[in-house]
Amino acid sequence: MKNKRILLCLCRMGGGEMKYIEEAFADNWVVPLGPNVNGFEADLQRFLASAPSPERLDAACADMPEAPVKSVVALSAGTAAVHLALIGCGVGPGDEVMVQSFTFSASANPVRYLGAVPVFVDSEPDTWNMDPVLLDRAIADRVEKTGRKPKAIIPVYLYGMPANIDAIMEVARKWDIPVVEDAAEAFGSRYRGRCCGTFGRYGVLSFNGNKMITTSGGGALVCESPEAADRIKFLATQARENYPYYQHEEIGYNYRMSNICAGIGRGQMEVLDEHIAHHRRVQQLYRELLAGVDGITLHDNPSPEIDSNFWLCAATLDDGTHVSGEENAYSSPSGSLVGGVAATARAAVSAHTAVEPDAAVEALRVALNAENIESRPLWKPMHLQPVFASSPSYVNGVSERLFRRGICLPAGPWVSDADVERIVAAIASVITR
Ligand SMILES: *Cc1c(COP(=O)(O)O)cnc(C)c1O
C-alpha cells in the first residue's frame, strides 16, 4: 500500500463506550429506554447549556444571554428528529415549510413525509447558510401568493458552520413562525458563545457514524421545555395512552433511541471536547497550508461571533482556477461512493446531470482519489434536485455557485497533521490556474 486511504469523516471511539454497553447487557436494558438513554440526554442537556471556552468569551459573545436550559429527547436518527419537530410545529398536508436549499436531503424529506411542501431559500455568501433577507422576502411572497403563512422555518448549519441565527430568529419573530434548527452537522458549534440547536423552538442533532459524535446511528431533538419533550417522547414511542391496554388516539412513531446506542453516546460524550478540538486543529492546518496555494479558498468563520466545529473542512476553487486532467472529467459514468454506501446508491444512468460541479472540481476529486484521498463535491442544493422540482424556491445563485466550485476535504479525529500536509500537497500539485 503506497499511502493509507484518508476518509472524509468518520467518528472514533475513545471514551467508556464499552463500559456503558456492558452495563446495559448486565442489567438487561437492551430496549429503547433505560439508564443510558436518560444519562445520554442529561449529558447532552449539560453540554448545550455550557459556556464556551474562555478564549471564545471575547467581546463578540460577551452579551449573549446564558443558554436557556433545554430538554433533549434521544431518537433513532436526526431525520426522525426533523420529522417529529415538524409535527410539533403543527405541519400537515398542504402546509408550506421554508427550508434552506443548500443542505442534505434529510432536512427536507420529512416535510414531504407529512404531505407538506418545502419552499427552498438560498444561502448568503459568507456563512453559506440561509440568507435572512431572502427568507423575509420569500415569506412575504408566500403569504401574498397563498394567503397563508408557512408553518416552520428550517435553517441548517452546513458543514458545522453557524448560520446567521440572530437575523433568522428576528425574521421568524416578525412573522411569528417557529424555527427548527437543523444542527445535525453542528454539534459543538456556537453562535455568540451559545450552542447551535438552542435558539429555535426545536433543534436537531445527528449521531450518525460520520457526524461529530456517533451512537452508530441516532439523533436527538432539543426541545424548549420538559412538557414539549414529553410530547415528543410520546410521539416517538407509538403514541400510547395511559391505560392498562393499548389505547391510541394519535398516530405514533417508533423513533426512540435504544439503550445500547445511548451507551455508545455516553462514551462519546467523554471525548467530545477532544474531538471538537481535533476538527478545529485540522481546519487550522488547512488554513495555514492552503494560504500558500493560489486558486483555492478555504471556507472559514466569517466573523468573531461565528465559531464552527469544522465538522467537514470545505473549500472552493476560485473563478478561473483550472485543474490538470479537467478535459477528461466525467468521461465515465462512475459515482464516487465507496464500500457499504455504494451498495445502497442506485446506479447512475448517465455521466451527467443538468447541474453538476465544474470539470475542474471533478478533476480535483479524481486526482485526490488517485492519491487515496476521499473528497466530495459540496452538497447539491435541493432546488436543483429532480425530486423537489415541483417545490417553489427563492434563489440568488449562491448555493449553485458553491455546488459548481466547491469541495469537501477530509476532517475529523482520524486525520493527522501529516495527512493534511499530504492532502494540501496533492491539491497544489494539480492546480494549474
Ligand atoms: C445527517 C444529516 C441529517 C440527518 O441525520 P441522520 O441521523 O443521518 O438521520 C439531517 N440534516 C443534515 C444537514 C444532515 O447532515
Side-chain angles (χ1 to χ4, degrees):
M1 230 355 225
K2 185 177 60 164
N3 269 323
K4 84 161 193 213
R5 182 146 182 94
I6 307 174
L7 295 173
L8 207 49
C9 188
L10 207 58
C11 290
R12 182 174 192 154
M13 297 299 110
E17 290 88 352
M18 283 310 292
K19 183 188 73 187
Y20 294 112
I21 293 171
E22 277 163 12
E23 276 173 19
F25 273 83
D27 301 339
N28 208 29
W29 277 110
V30 188
V31 283
L33 80 170
N36 283 337
V37 175
N38 300 337
F40 185 43
E41 288 173 345
D43 289 347
L44 293 168
Q45 273 164 222
R46 213 173 303 118
F47 180 84
L48 291 172
S50 66
S53 58
E55 65 268 23
R56 299 295 312 187
L57 265 176
D58 48 25
C61 62
D63 59 336
M64 172 56 78
E66 248 177 69
V69 175
K70 294 283 182 166
S71 296
V72 179
V73 182
L75 298 168
S76 55
T79 311
V82 176
H83 192 179
L84 294 182
L86 292 174
I87 295 171
C89 292
V91 174
D95 287 333
E96 292 191 340
V97 176
M98 310 305 288
V99 185
Q100 179 167 321
S101 183
F102 194 42
T103 187
F104 181 63
S105 62
S107 307
N109 283 336
V111 177
R112 290 275 293 266
Y113 300 167
L114 291 165
V117 178
V119 175
F120 295 112
V121 178
D122 215 325
S123 292
E124 49 175 15
D126 53 355
T127 64
W128 294 6
N129 292 314
M130 187 181 269
D131 181 331
V133 177
L134 189 55
L135 170 69
D136 187 36
R137 256 193 280 142
I139 294 171
D141 195 56
R142 294 326 293 164
V143 170
E144 194 186 310
K145 285 206 168 81
T146 68
R148 295 166 60 205
K149 276 193 308 190
K151 280 286 184 66
I153 302 169
I154 309 182
V156 185
Y157 302 102
L158 210 63
Y159 311 122
M161 182 64 70
N164 196 347
I165 193 67
D166 273 357
I168 291 168
M169 291 305 297
E170 212 177 293
V171 173
R173 272 191 295 272
K174 171 181 154 186
W175 291 98
D176 192 24
I177 300 172
V179 168
V180 176
E181 299 167 79
D182 185 344
E185 301 176 0
F187 188 41
S189 297
R190 290 170 187 269
Y191 182 89
R192 288 209 290 136
R194 184 163 142 188
C195 281
C196 294
T198 66
F199 291 82
R201 180 179 296 183
Y202 295 103
V204 170
L205 300 175
S206 168
F207 312 116
N208 207 336
N210 59 351
K211 299 289 164 82
M212 284 305 281
I213 60 166
T214 191
T215 56
S216 73
L221 192 61
V222 183
C223 303
E224 275 182 326
S225 64
E227 295 72 36
D230 283 347
R231 164 103 185 123
I232 296 299
K233 283 180 201 167
F234 165 79
L235 292 170
T237 51
Q238 309 285 25
R240 286 178 295 207
E241 305 293 336
N242 193 4
Y243 290 89
Y245 42 87
Y246 288 134
Q247 168 82 7
H248 302 284
E249 297 172 13
E250 285 186 66
I251 295 297
Y253 300 84
N254 183 9
Y255 279 171
R256 201 74 164 109
M257 180 178 280
S258 91
N259 197 49
I260 299 298
C261 293
I264 303 174
R266 288 179 89 182
Q268 288 274 281
M269 287 303 286
E270 297 171 359
V271 291
L272 171 64
D273 286 339
E274 214 175 289
H275 285 195
I276 295 172
H278 191 98
H279 281 261
R280 290 187 171 137
R281 176 183 174 76
V282 169
Q283 170 79 6
Q284 173 60 22
L285 263 180
Y286 278 122
R287 196 179 283 142
E288 287 165 20
L289 297 174
L290 282 174
V293 182
D294 282 341
I296 185 165
T297 303
L298 187 66
H299 184 38
D300 215 340
N301 290 326
S303 63
E305 58 268 23
I306 286 181
D307 187 15
S308 177
N309 61 11
F310 296 109
W311 169 62
L312 283 186
C313 297
T316 46
L317 293 179
D318 300 345
D319 291 329
T321 295
H322 291 282
V323 170
S324 55
E326 66 185 47
E327 59 286 355
N328 300 319
Y330 297 114
S331 52
S332 62
S334 66
S336 68
L337 298 175
V338 291
V341 183
T344 61
R346 197 156 55 185
V349 289
S350 119
H352 294 277
T353 65
V355 183
E356 60 192 17
D358 286 355
V361 171
E362 174 61 4
L364 179 57
R365 185 191 70 78
V366 169
L368 291 174
N369 193 49
E371 292 294 320
N372 243 340
I373 298 163
E374 187 188 20
S375 66
R376 183 171 301 155
L378 300 184
W379 299 181
K380 185 169 185 172
M382 293 304 117
H383 74 271
L384 299 174
Q385 296 286 1
V387 70
F388 293 121
S390 64
S391 273
S393 62
Y394 293 82
V395 299
N396 55 19
V398 170
S399 64
E400 181 170 342
R401 178 187 178 272
L402 291 170
F403 174 61
R404 288 182 187 278
R405 300 301 293 172
I407 195 158
C408 290
L409 300 171
W414 292 97
V415 176
S416 69
D417 291 8
D419 290 343
V420 178
E421 285 167 25
R422 212 179 102 199
I423 294 161
V424 173
I427 294 170
S429 74
V430 292
I431 287 185
T432 56
R433 290 231 19 111

PDB file of all heavy atoms in Angstrom, residues 52-77:
ATOM      1  N   PRO A  52     -18.895  28.748  26.471  1.00  0.00           N
ATOM      2  CA  PRO A  52     -17.805  28.485  25.531  1.00  0.00           C
ATOM      3  C   PRO A  52     -16.464  28.520  26.247  1.00  0.00           C
ATOM      4  O   PRO A  52     -16.376  28.962  27.388  1.00  0.00           O
ATOM      5  CB  PRO A  52     -17.916  29.630  24.529  1.00  0.00           C
ATOM      6  CG  PRO A  52     -18.596  30.718  25.265  1.00  0.00           C
ATOM      7  CD  PRO A  52     -19.512  30.062  26.258  1.00  0.00           C
ATOM      8  N   SER A  53     -15.438  28.061  25.554  1.00  0.00           N
ATOM      9  CA  SER A  53     -14.095  28.077  26.129  1.00  0.00           C
ATOM     10  C   SER A  53     -13.691  29.525  26.407  1.00  0.00           C
ATOM     11  O   SER A  53     -14.157  30.434  25.718  1.00  0.00           O
ATOM     12  CB  SER A  53     -13.110  27.443  25.148  1.00  0.00           C
ATOM     13  OG  SER A  53     -13.148  28.158  23.932  1.00  0.00           O
ATOM     14  N   PRO A  54     -12.855  29.742  27.424  1.00  0.00           N
ATOM     15  CA  PRO A  54     -12.504  31.112  27.830  1.00  0.00           C
ATOM     16  C   PRO A  54     -12.015  31.976  26.669  1.00  0.00           C
ATOM     17  O   PRO A  54     -12.368  33.148  26.579  1.00  0.00           O
ATOM     18  CB  PRO A  54     -11.380  30.891  28.853  1.00  0.00           C
ATOM     19  CG  PRO A  54     -11.569  29.500  29.347  1.00  0.00           C
ATOM     20  CD  PRO A  54     -12.176  28.725  28.228  1.00  0.00           C
ATOM     21  N   GLU A  55     -11.251  31.368  25.742  1.00  0.00           N
ATOM     22  CA  GLU A  55     -10.706  32.194  24.649  1.00  0.00           C
ATOM     23  C   GLU A  55     -11.794  32.671  23.679  1.00  0.00           C
ATOM     24  O   GLU A  55     -11.584  33.595  22.913  1.00  0.00           O
ATOM     25  CB  GLU A  55      -9.570  31.468  23.903  1.00  0.00           C
ATOM     26  CG  GLU A  55      -9.957  30.215  23.154  1.00  0.00           C
ATOM     27  CD  GLU A  55      -9.795  28.951  24.013  1.00  0.00           C
ATOM     28  OE1 GLU A  55      -9.799  29.040  25.252  1.00  0.00           O
ATOM     29  OE2 GLU A  55      -9.647  27.874  23.431  1.00  0.00           O
ATOM     30  N   ARG A  56     -12.992  32.010  23.701  1.00  0.00           N
ATOM     31  CA  ARG A  56     -14.091  32.452  22.844  1.00  0.00           C
ATOM     32  C   ARG A  56     -14.990  33.465  23.560  1.00  0.00           C
ATOM     33  O   ARG A  56     -15.875  34.049  22.954  1.00  0.00           O
ATOM     34  CB  ARG A  56     -14.954  31.269  22.390  1.00  0.00           C
ATOM     35  CG  ARG A  56     -14.239  30.233  21.575  1.00  0.00           C
ATOM     36  CD  ARG A  56     -13.756  30.727  20.227  1.00  0.00           C
ATOM     37  NE  ARG A  56     -14.780  31.454  19.466  1.00  0.00           N
ATOM     38  CZ  ARG A  56     -14.605  31.847  18.212  1.00  0.00           C
ATOM     39  NH1 ARG A  56     -13.488  31.589  17.582  1.00  0.00           N
ATOM     40  NH2 ARG A  56     -15.563  32.508  17.591  1.00  0.00           N
ATOM     41  N   LEU A  57     -14.791  33.615  24.857  1.00  0.00           N
ATOM     42  CA  LEU A  57     -15.602  34.577  25.614  1.00  0.00           C
ATOM     43  C   LEU A  57     -15.061  35.978  25.391  1.00  0.00           C
ATOM     44  O   LEU A  57     -14.711  36.696  26.317  1.00  0.00           O
ATOM     45  CB  LEU A  57     -15.578  34.242  27.110  1.00  0.00           C
ATOM     46  CG  LEU A  57     -16.723  33.392  27.644  1.00  0.00           C
ATOM     47  CD1 LEU A  57     -16.506  33.060  29.100  1.00  0.00           C
ATOM     48  CD2 LEU A  57     -18.072  34.066  27.449  1.00  0.00           C
ATOM     49  N   ASP A  58     -15.020  36.356  24.129  1.00  0.00           N
ATOM     50  CA  ASP A  58     -14.471  37.670  23.812  1.00  0.00           C
ATOM     51  C   ASP A  58     -15.614  38.650  23.636  1.00  0.00           C
ATOM     52  O   ASP A  58     -16.771  38.342  23.910  1.00  0.00           O
ATOM     53  CB  ASP A  58     -13.614  37.595  22.547  1.00  0.00           C
ATOM     54  CG  ASP A  58     -14.336  36.862  21.430  1.00  0.00           C
ATOM     55  OD1 ASP A  58     -15.582  36.860  21.461  1.00  0.00           O
ATOM     56  OD2 ASP A  58     -13.684  36.300  20.554  1.00  0.00           O
ATOM     57  N   ALA A  59     -15.298  39.833  23.181  1.00  0.00           N
ATOM     58  CA  ALA A  59     -16.307  40.880  23.023  1.00  0.00           C
ATOM     59  C   ALA A  59     -17.504  40.386  22.206  1.00  0.00           C
ATOM     60  O   ALA A  59     -18.641  40.729  22.487  1.00  0.00           O
ATOM     61  CB  ALA A  59     -15.677  42.090  22.358  1.00  0.00           C
ATOM     62  N   ALA A  60     -17.219  39.569  21.209  1.00  0.00           N
ATOM     63  CA  ALA A  60     -18.271  39.154  20.286  1.00  0.00           C
ATOM     64  C   ALA A  60     -19.377  38.363  20.952  1.00  0.00           C
ATOM     65  O   ALA A  60     -20.513  38.351  20.490  1.00  0.00           O
ATOM     66  CB  ALA A  60     -17.675  38.330  19.154  1.00  0.00           C
ATOM     67  N   CYS A  61     -19.066  37.664  22.038  1.00  0.00           N
ATOM     68  CA  CYS A  61     -20.125  36.857  22.625  1.00  0.00           C
ATOM     69  C   CYS A  61     -20.399  37.213  24.078  1.00  0.00           C
ATOM     70  O   CYS A  61     -21.177  36.555  24.746  1.00  0.00           O
ATOM     71  CB  CYS A  61     -19.814  35.366  22.473  1.00  0.00           C
ATOM     72  SG  CYS A  61     -18.329  34.839  23.285  1.00  0.00           S
ATOM     73  N   ALA A  62     -19.789  38.271  24.582  1.00  0.00           N
ATOM     74  CA  ALA A  62     -19.978  38.630  25.980  1.00  0.00           C
ATOM     75  C   ALA A  62     -21.422  39.021  26.277  1.00  0.00           C
ATOM     76  O   ALA A  62     -21.898  38.832  27.388  1.00  0.00           O
ATOM     77  CB  ALA A  62     -19.037  39.770  26.351  1.00  0.00           C
ATOM     78  N   ASP A  63     -22.135  39.551  25.257  1.00  0.00           N
ATOM     79  CA  ASP A  63     -23.508  39.992  25.502  1.00  0.00           C
ATOM     80  C   ASP A  63     -24.537  38.901  25.249  1.00  0.00           C
ATOM     81  O   ASP A  63     -25.729  39.146  25.289  1.00  0.00           O
ATOM     82  CB  ASP A  63     -23.820  41.215  24.632  1.00  0.00           C
ATOM     83  CG  ASP A  63     -23.659  40.904  23.147  1.00  0.00           C
ATOM     84  OD1 ASP A  63     -22.900  39.962  22.824  1.00  0.00           O
ATOM     85  OD2 ASP A  63     -24.282  41.593  22.329  1.00  0.00           O
ATOM     86  N   MET A  64     -24.088  37.705  24.951  1.00  0.00           N
ATOM     87  CA  MET A  64     -25.041  36.614  24.723  1.00  0.00           C
ATOM     88  C   MET A  64     -25.627  36.157  26.052  1.00  0.00           C
ATOM     89  O   MET A  64     -24.889  35.791  26.960  1.00  0.00           O
ATOM     90  CB  MET A  64     -24.333  35.446  24.036  1.00  0.00           C
ATOM     91  CG  MET A  64     -25.155  34.172  23.911  1.00  0.00           C
ATOM     92  SD  MET A  64     -26.732  34.360  23.075  1.00  0.00           S
ATOM     93  CE  MET A  64     -26.235  34.417  21.354  1.00  0.00           C
ATOM     94  N   PRO A  65     -26.957  36.209  26.196  1.00  0.00           N
ATOM     95  CA  PRO A  65     -27.531  35.714  27.445  1.00  0.00           C
ATOM     96  C   PRO A  65     -27.257  34.224  27.595  1.00  0.00           C
ATOM     97  O   PRO A  65     -27.042  33.528  26.601  1.00  0.00           O
ATOM     98  CB  PRO A  65     -29.028  35.989  27.274  1.00  0.00           C
ATOM     99  CG  PRO A  65     -29.250  36.178  25.814  1.00  0.00           C
ATOM    100  CD  PRO A  65     -27.954  36.648  25.225  1.00  0.00           C
ATOM    101  N   GLU A  66     -27.260  33.760  28.815  1.00  0.00           N
ATOM    102  CA  GLU A  66     -26.995  32.341  29.067  1.00  0.00           C
ATOM    103  C   GLU A  66     -27.995  31.479  28.300  1.00  0.00           C
ATOM    104  O   GLU A  66     -29.162  31.836  28.170  1.00  0.00           O
ATOM    105  CB  GLU A  66     -27.141  32.062  30.561  1.00  0.00           C
ATOM    106  CG  GLU A  66     -25.818  31.723  31.229  1.00  0.00           C
ATOM    107  CD  GLU A  66     -25.996  31.527  32.712  1.00  0.00           C
ATOM    108  OE1 GLU A  66     -26.629  30.526  33.083  1.00  0.00           O
ATOM    109  OE2 GLU A  66     -25.517  32.380  33.476  1.00  0.00           O
ATOM    110  N   ALA A  67     -27.518  30.334  27.808  1.00  0.00           N
ATOM    111  CA  ALA A  67     -28.405  29.445  27.072  1.00  0.00           C
ATOM    112  C   ALA A  67     -29.516  28.971  28.004  1.00  0.00           C
ATOM    113  O   ALA A  67     -29.242  28.550  29.125  1.00  0.00           O
ATOM    114  CB  ALA A  67     -27.621  28.254  26.538  1.00  0.00           C
ATOM    115  N   PRO A  68     -30.759  29.049  27.543  1.00  0.00           N
ATOM    116  CA  PRO A  68     -31.833  28.515  28.380  1.00  0.00           C
ATOM    117  C   PRO A  68     -31.649  27.010  28.520  1.00  0.00           C
ATOM    118  O   PRO A  68     -31.133  26.367  27.602  1.00  0.00           O
ATOM    119  CB  PRO A  68     -33.091  28.851  27.578  1.00  0.00           C
ATOM    120  CG  PRO A  68     -32.637  29.031  26.176  1.00  0.00           C
ATOM    121  CD  PRO A  68     -31.211  29.501  26.230  1.00  0.00           C
ATOM    122  N   VAL A  69     -32.033  26.464  29.651  1.00  0.00           N
ATOM    123  CA  VAL A  69     -31.890  25.024  29.839  1.00  0.00           C
ATOM    124  C   VAL A  69     -32.918  24.321  28.951  1.00  0.00           C
ATOM    125  O   VAL A  69     -34.099  24.638  28.963  1.00  0.00           O
ATOM    126  CB  VAL A  69     -32.089  24.645  31.317  1.00  0.00           C
ATOM    127  CG1 VAL A  69     -32.065  23.128  31.479  1.00  0.00           C
ATOM    128  CG2 VAL A  69     -31.001  25.293  32.148  1.00  0.00           C
ATOM    129  N   LYS A  70     -32.416  23.400  28.148  1.00  0.00           N
ATOM    130  CA  LYS A  70     -33.261  22.715  27.175  1.00  0.00           C
ATOM    131  C   LYS A  70     -33.572  21.307  27.648  1.00  0.00           C
ATOM    132  O   LYS A  70     -32.869  20.749  28.496  1.00  0.00           O
ATOM    133  CB  LYS A  70     -32.534  22.663  25.836  1.00  0.00           C
ATOM    134  CG  LYS A  70     -32.319  24.034  25.200  1.00  0.00           C
ATOM    135  CD  LYS A  70     -33.604  24.528  24.575  1.00  0.00           C
ATOM    136  CE  LYS A  70     -33.414  25.873  23.879  1.00  0.00           C
ATOM    137  NZ  LYS A  70     -34.550  26.192  23.008  1.00  0.00           N
ATOM    138  N   SER A  71     -34.590  20.716  27.064  1.00  0.00           N
ATOM    139  CA  SER A  71     -34.904  19.313  27.316  1.00  0.00           C
ATOM    140  C   SER A  71     -34.641  18.539  26.044  1.00  0.00           C
ATOM    141  O   SER A  71     -35.170  18.899  24.990  1.00  0.00           O
ATOM    142  CB  SER A  71     -36.370  19.164  27.725  1.00  0.00           C
ATOM    143  OG  SER A  71     -36.588  19.830  28.945  1.00  0.00           O
ATOM    144  N   VAL A  72     -33.823  17.509  26.144  1.00  0.00           N
ATOM    145  CA  VAL A  72     -33.379  16.784  24.956  1.00  0.00           C
ATOM    146  C   VAL A  72     -33.999  15.390  24.925  1.00  0.00           C
ATOM    147  O   VAL A  72     -34.055  14.705  25.949  1.00  0.00           O
ATOM    148  CB  VAL A  72     -31.831  16.679  24.941  1.00  0.00           C
ATOM    149  CG1 VAL A  72     -31.360  15.900  23.723  1.00  0.00           C
ATOM    150  CG2 VAL A  72     -31.213  18.075  24.955  1.00  0.00           C
ATOM    151  N   VAL A  73     -34.454  14.982  23.757  1.00  0.00           N
ATOM    152  CA  VAL A  73     -35.025  13.645  23.567  1.00  0.00           C
ATOM    153  C   VAL A  73     -34.147  12.873  22.590  1.00  0.00           C
ATOM    154  O   VAL A  73     -33.965  13.302  21.442  1.00  0.00           O
ATOM    155  CB  VAL A  73     -36.463  13.725  23.012  1.00  0.00           C
ATOM    156  CG1 VAL A  73     -37.053  12.330  22.877  1.00  0.00           C
ATOM    157  CG2 VAL A  73     -37.337  14.596  23.904  1.00  0.00           C
ATOM    158  N   ALA A  74     -33.610  11.748  23.033  1.00  0.00           N
ATOM    159  CA  ALA A  74     -32.761  10.922  22.173  1.00  0.00           C
ATOM    160  C   ALA A  74     -33.641  10.087  21.252  1.00  0.00           C
ATOM    161  O   ALA A  74     -34.604   9.451  21.698  1.00  0.00           O
ATOM    162  CB  ALA A  74     -31.866  10.021  23.021  1.00  0.00           C
ATOM    163  N   LEU A  75     -33.291  10.081  19.953  1.00  0.00           N
ATOM    164  CA  LEU A  75     -34.113   9.423  18.939  1.00  0.00           C
ATOM    165  C   LEU A  75     -33.255   8.512  18.063  1.00  0.00           C
ATOM    166  O   LEU A  75     -32.027   8.512  18.169  1.00  0.00           O
ATOM    167  CB  LEU A  75     -34.801  10.488  18.071  1.00  0.00           C
ATOM    168  CG  LEU A  75     -35.767  11.424  18.828  1.00  0.00           C
ATOM    169  CD1 LEU A  75     -36.159  12.609  17.967  1.00  0.00           C
ATOM    170  CD2 LEU A  75     -36.999  10.668  19.311  1.00  0.00           C
ATOM    171  N   SER A  76     -33.918   7.770  17.181  1.00  0.00           N
ATOM    172  CA  SER A  76     -33.208   6.784  16.362  1.00  0.00           C
ATOM    173  C   SER A  76     -32.427   7.416  15.220  1.00  0.00           C
ATOM    174  O   SER A  76     -31.569   6.771  14.632  1.00  0.00           O
ATOM    175  CB  SER A  76     -34.206   5.772  15.802  1.00  0.00           C
ATOM    176  OG  SER A  76     -35.227   6.450  15.100  1.00  0.00           O
ATOM    177  N   ALA A  77     -32.711   8.673  14.871  1.00  0.00           N
ATOM    178  CA  ALA A  77     -31.993   9.342  13.784  1.00  0.00           C
ATOM    179  C   ALA A  77     -32.269  10.841  13.808  1.00  0.00           C
ATOM    180  O   ALA A  77     -33.292  11.282  14.343  1.00  0.00           O
ATOM    181  CB  ALA A  77     -32.418   8.780  12.419  1.00  0.00           C
TER     182      ALA A  77
END
